[in-house]
Amino acid sequence: MDISALVNHDTEAAVLPRRSLSRPTSLSASSPVTSTAKSPTVHKPTLKQMPPKRRRHDPKPIWAYREGEELPPELQQLEEQQRQQLRPPPPPPAQPHPPPSQAPPRVQASPIAHRNGPPASAHDFAHAPHPAATTELVGFERPISDSPQVYDDVSRQVCDFLWREAIGNDVVRNAIADPHVKLEVEARWGQVIDRHSNQRLRGVWESECVLKSGAMDVKFESTMTLEQHKKMNLYLNEQIQRSKAPGATRVAINYEHTREIDEFYELNQEEFKTLNPIVQRLIHAHSQTGGRSRIRVTKKKETGEVKDAIIKHRLANLEISSPRTEWDYRIGINLEIDFVRPIENLKPALEAGKTVESMQRQKDRISYAWLDAYQVDLTQVTQGMSKNHELELELDSKMLLSHADKARRKEPNQFESLITGMMNNLRVLSREMTPSAPVA
């Protein structure tokens, strides 16, 4: 696909990235750090006292146990069932080795493969085992506990975050029982910015970790340069071609190119009263901390047809620092509430110094989807005289809730695998954008 169909090659105006606070419920409150700072030359992230965690009495799901920790009898039985399902098939009979003169030629290692794993060879691809055979750890990777798997700590924390804020949250579950209310889980690539230095957050950590953003005065900027946008577009298009090449064994990736316009309208008291009572309480609590709720109307650019009208309500965010790659990550949990009433008489939402036209967001987007689970959106956003480029990943909420509820019922599930897959996609694309280290 020609990138010229997506981006404007004219001289680009100053990029204004989408910025959002790490604490969505404190939009109007001034930071206690900012109000007392004396503007030294160099600032470090300021820590605040964290409230004690609420004691929890709910039984832990199977994925929350540590290696070696004794499971209750019913979970031991479930684990054995899953282990039997994942047990690799017997190896095929050994084949005679070809003479040296007939050894298969080796191919040059791909730089992409080198970033995300060991260099691959033609022999490796030809003799790659079935995916099910690589599920359990073997050889040197098998720990002393003989555990067949060892969980990824960051992915596990994302699991806990989603469980705490959405899956196990009765208010959220009752809200999304309404067919007009949808759970949205999205991950964004960007950078965590220290508000004092206005630079990317750095610290004593040198590898990926989850941040306690609520204890720091930071913001998250979701943006990329035009050159990064072009490079990512080419990379994702290449993945489509590889997934659909003759004889390809990988899952097919599909894409869609859309051009849309977002318009924003005020949510007045009359319209507010028509919403689900649970949603009303959530929006009211948000407004008490200075938050504003707007109606977003999305139209198809070519025809002006209304695609949808929603109120997007932010529930929680989790920031992950990745200092070894180009971008950090933000996992966001939101509710998307359908606005089903007529929009003709709504009052446009205006910010100081802006017109109705300059408030519009024109989105030129290519979406890449696979497994009915993940969708990566590469978007150029034009608002007024500014342009911004964004990359985000959406996790299918129906699949997420399906596997989470199986975990809740102690049934075989892929809840944690679904989250680990999301994290792997964040890592792979961020590494693809990270410049290679200079050769000494």
Side-chain angles (χ1 to χ4, degrees), residues 150-164:
V150 178
Y151 68 80
D152 176 85
D153 187 63
V154 173
S155 297
R156 177 63 62 86
Q157 291 199 54
V158 176
C159 286
D160 290 341
F161 167 70
L162 294 174
W163 199 277
R164 179 178 65 251

Side-chain angles (χ1 to χ4, degrees), residues 132-335:
T134 62
T135 302
E136 292 195 359
L137 299 175
V138 296
F140 293 121
E141 294 184 351
R142 191 89 169 199
I144 191 172
S145 63
D146 200 37
S147 300
Q149 298 167 326
V150 178
Y151 68 80
D152 176 85
D153 187 63
V154 173
S155 297
R156 177 63 62 86
Q157 291 199 54
V158 176
C159 286
D160 290 341
F161 167 70
L162 294 174
W163 199 277
R164 179 178 65 251
E165 301 294 342
I167 296 163
N169 186 318
D170 290 340
V171 174
V172 174
R173 295 306 294 264
N174 289 335
I176 62 177
D178 183 337
H180 292 298
V181 182
K182 175 188 173 185
L183 178 68
E184 180 192 51
V185 176
E186 62 179 1
R188 290 182 176 273
W189 287 264
Q191 292 185 346
V192 179
I193 303 296
D194 179 2
R195 287 182 177 276
H196 295 293
S197 65
N198 204 33
Q199 300 294 321
R200 185 180 182 184
L201 181 67
R202 300 288 186 181
V204 297
W205 59 95
E206 292 189 352
S207 60
E208 182 184 272
C209 65
V210 175
L211 298 174
K212 289 186 176 180
S213 303
M216 297 179 286
D217 194 20
V218 296
K219 60 186 177 183
F220 188 86
E221 290 190 354
S222 177
T223 188
M224 62 196 307
T225 66
L226 177 60
E227 289 304 315
Q228 288 174 329
H229 187 123
K230 292 179 180 179
K231 183 177 179 180
M232 183 58 66
N233 177 246
L234 293 174
Y235 176 80
L236 293 172
N237 288 346
E238 180 184 2
Q239 302 313 307
I240 292 178
Q241 295 171 0
R242 290 184 176 184
S243 74
K244 296 185 177 182
T249 57
R250 60 186 291 183
V251 174
I253 303 172
N254 300 307
Y255 82 96
E256 181 183 17
H257 191 174
T258 58
R259 295 178 177 87
E260 300 170 342
I261 298 177
D262 287 343
E263 299 174 346
F264 299 92
Y265 297 90
E266 298 289 354
L267 177 65
N268 59 37
Q269 191 65 23
E270 179 183 354
E271 308 296 351
F272 172 78
K273 291 180 179 179
T274 66
L275 300 177
N276 180 303
I278 299 175
V279 171
Q280 289 185 33
R281 290 196 292 271
L282 289 171
I283 292 178
H284 176 72
H286 182 53
S287 67
Q288 294 300 105
T289 58
R292 296 182 63 184
S293 296
R294 292 173 173 172
I295 303 167
R296 187 187 75 193
V297 177
T298 301
K299 298 179 179 180
K300 296 180 180 180
K301 185 175 181 179
E302 294 84 356
T303 64
E305 176 188 354
V306 174
K307 179 182 177 182
D308 57 48
I310 67 168
I311 301 166
K312 188 167 182 174
H313 178 76
R314 188 186 309 164
L315 293 173
N317 293 320
L318 183 74
E319 277 85 21
I320 299 171
S321 174
S322 181
R324 294 176 61 85
T325 64
E326 182 71 11
W327 292 316
D328 305 313
Y329 322 120
R330 162 176 277 187
I331 313 297
I333 305 176
N334 309 297
L335 292 180

Side-chain angles (χ1 to χ4, degrees), residues 386-417:
S386 67
K387 290 181 182 177
N388 189 36
H389 303 276
E390 301 175 353
L391 185 67
E392 59 187 358
L393 182 151
E394 185 168 345
L395 179 60
D396 185 82
S397 59
K398 291 182 179 179
M399 182 167 290
L400 172 68
L401 292 170
S402 173
H403 285 284
D405 287 342
K406 289 178 182 178
R408 186 200 294 267
R409 297 191 298 266
K410 300 181 175 61
E411 298 174 359
N413 66 88
Q414 298 185 61
F415 171 67
E416 188 162 13
S417 296

